[in-house]
Amino acid sequence: FPKPLQTFAAVVAILIMITGLAGNLLTIIALCKYPKVRNVAAAFIISLCVADFVFCLLVLPFDSIRFIDASWANVRFLCILVPFLRYGNVGVSLLSVAAITINRYIMIAHHGLYSKVYKKYWIAFMILFCWLFSYGMQVPTLLGVWGKIDYDPNLETCSIVKDSRGHTSKTFLFVVAFVIPCLIIIGCYTKIFWVVHRSETRMRKHTTPTIKSPHTPGRDTREIKQRRSEWRITKMVLAIFLSFVACYLPITIVKVADVEVRYPAFHVLGYLLLYFASCVNPIIYVIMNKQYRQAYAGVIGCSRIRASLSPYGSSAPGHQQQDYGQ
């Protein structure tokens, strides 16, 4: 890699690491500390943040240093551990995103099934599946059956490379890791928006006065609120989908189209976007919710905002928890 490109990548990776560590840790503490924001979706968000925090803590230090000095790759244990954690935690993050999407889909489109599907043991099973599946997919590579984890001179770091038979699982893992969550996100949020739009349309029909009057301020107010509600959901959908595509599509395309690393700059850009996903998730999935912002303020010690968060919040008797994204 060109020296200026290496320096730039190292600086950006370090900044992402610091931001990711702070943001994900803050999110985990906020979700655990305040019952008002602790609900079913929060369990998956915590899993997502834990995966991203581990990624920033154990992977990014080595991945940032390797742009300047990759001597750590000479240590066999680290050369296997770092890529294993890198791909494993990326997989957990992607599956957690998909799990959050499915959670919201069932909550809106199949509300009657929600309490049956999201019992404590099923939630634990879903989270455990995200972790076991993500790391389990790497076992054949770890054992050298399908590719192997070793130093890649083209990337100047340890990664998944071809085995003695010329086979590698890297392309397959990247394609599957992107395509499956992408299809889930597109399908679920398309259905969500359709259900919400149909519900709002039906509500407008029911609230239409039988005798038209030039003065219907109540109706106008309702329509404005309905449009705002649809727009909030639209923005959430766009934010989730665009961040997902922006962070994971480039590296997927690069890994498929440039296996021999003929264009190193594109690989570096793809990796930086992949790293950025570890710190952007708290912004997309947490900060867009007002109650989470209040919980953040409570964690960092803003007493005025913290006062609005009762230690029991909406978990207190007679209150119902508001779900993620509402």
Side-chain angles (χ1 to χ4, degrees), residues 66-127:
R66 65 102 166 183
F67 289 113
I68 300 175
D69 180 13
S71 58
W72 62 266
N74 296 324
V75 181
R76 182 60 181 166
F77 173 73
L78 291 177
C79 193
I80 295 176
L81 178 64
V82 172
F84 184 68
L85 291 174
R86 179 195 303 139
Y87 296 120
N89 281 282
V90 167
V92 174
S93 296
L94 291 170
L95 289 179
S96 297
V97 170
I100 294 170
T101 305
I102 294 172
N103 171 265
R104 182 168 175 82
Y105 165 73
I106 295 177
M107 179 188 70
I108 294 177
H110 302 283
H111 191 70
L113 297 175
Y114 193 82
S115 59
K116 298 178 181 179
V117 174
Y118 289 99
K119 296 183 181 296
K120 287 185 178 180
Y121 55 86
W122 280 118
I123 296 171
F125 173 79
M126 294 173 193
I127 293 175

Side-chain angles (χ1 to χ4, degrees), residues 6 8 28 72 83 99 101 120 191 212 248 264 274 292 301 326:
Q6 289 180 322
F8 170 77
I28 294 169
W72 62 266
T101 305
K120 287 185 178 180
K191 178 67 173 180
K212 293 185 178 181
Y248 292 103
L274 183 68
Y292 284 96
Q326 291 187 319

Side-chain angles (χ1 to χ4, degrees), residues 281-301:
N281 282 327
I283 300 173
I284 299 299
Y285 296 98
V286 180
I287 296 182
M288 291 184 73
N289 185 297
K290 182 180 179 181
Q291 290 185 344
Y292 284 96
R293 290 196 296 270
Q294 292 175 333
Y296 276 179
V299 172
I300 62 179

Side-chain angles (χ1 to χ4, degrees), residues 48-315:
L48 171 64
C49 291
V50 168
D52 289 340
F53 181 81
V54 172
F55 182 86
C56 292
L57 182 66
L58 300 180
V59 176
L60 277 187
F62 295 100
D63 275 5
S64 57
I65 293 174
R66 65 102 166 183
F67 289 113
I68 300 175
D69 180 13
S71 58
W72 62 266
N74 296 324
V75 181
R76 182 60 181 166
F77 173 73
L78 291 177
C79 193
I80 295 176
L81 178 64
V82 172
F84 184 68
L85 291 174
R86 179 195 303 139
Y87 296 120
N89 281 282
V90 167
V92 174
S93 296
L94 291 170
L95 289 179
S96 297
V97 170
I100 294 170
T101 305
I102 294 172
N103 171 265
R104 182 168 175 82
Y105 165 73
I106 295 177
M107 179 188 70
I108 294 177
H110 302 283
H111 191 70
L113 297 175
Y114 193 82
S115 59
K116 298 178 181 179
V117 174
Y118 289 99
K119 296 183 181 296
K120 287 185 178 180
Y121 55 86
W122 280 118
I123 296 171
F125 173 79
M126 294 173 193
I127 293 175
L128 185 62
F129 172 80
C130 291
W131 286 84
L132 292 180
F133 182 80
S134 298
Y135 281 96
M137 287 285 287
Q138 297 185 83
V139 171
T141 304
L142 193 64
L143 298 177
V145 177
W146 188 14
K148 62 179 181 178
I149 298 177
D150 205 343
Y151 181 78
D152 187 343
N154 293 324
L155 294 175
E156 299 180 4
T157 187
C158 295
S159 184
I160 298 176
V161 298
K162 294 180 180 179
D163 55 25
S164 57
R165 296 169 297 173
H167 298 160
T168 176
S169 61
K170 180 182 285 189
T171 301
F172 173 81
L173 291 176
F174 270 97
V175 171
V176 170
F178 176 79
V179 171
I180 292 179
C182 187
L183 291 177
I184 291 175
I185 290 174
I186 293 175
C188 287
Y189 275 109
T190 299
K191 178 67 173 180
I192 287 171
F193 187 71
W194 181 77
V195 169
V196 172
H197 180 74
R198 185 181 61 177
S199 175
E200 298 289 357
T201 302
R202 187 167 58 247
M203 186 182 300
R204 281 195 292 268
K205 289 181 179 179
H206 287 312
T207 56
T208 301
T210 54
I211 301 176
K212 293 185 178 181
S213 170
H215 304 289
T216 54
R219 179 187 174 189
D220 293 340
T221 302
R222 283 193 297 270
E223 288 183 350
I224 291 173
K225 289 182 178 179
Q226 289 164 1
R227 284 195 294 269
R228 286 178 178 175
S229 176
E230 288 189 5
W231 178 235
R232 280 198 300 268
I233 293 176
T234 303
K235 288 193 294 184
M236 177 70 77
V237 173
L238 287 175
I240 292 171
F241 180 68
L242 292 178
S243 66
F244 176 84
V245 172
C247 290
Y248 292 103
L249 181 59
I251 190 66
T252 303
I253 294 175
V254 168
K255 292 300 180 183
V256 173
D258 188 22
V259 179
E260 302 299 328
V261 195
R262 291 185 295 270
Y263 304 98
F266 289 105
H267 286 264
V268 172
L269 177 61
Y271 274 117
L272 291 179
L273 288 172
L274 183 68
Y275 301 159
F276 183 66
S278 64
C279 70
V280 75
N281 282 327
I283 300 173
I284 299 299
Y285 296 98
V286 180
I287 296 182
M288 291 184 73
N289 185 297
K290 182 180 179 181
Q291 290 185 344
Y292 284 96
R293 290 196 296 270
Q294 292 175 333
Y296 276 179
V299 172
I300 62 179
C302 184
S303 58
R304 186 172 60 180
I305 300 179
R306 183 173 54 193
S308 66
L309 277 171
S310 165
Y312 299 99
S314 58
S315 295

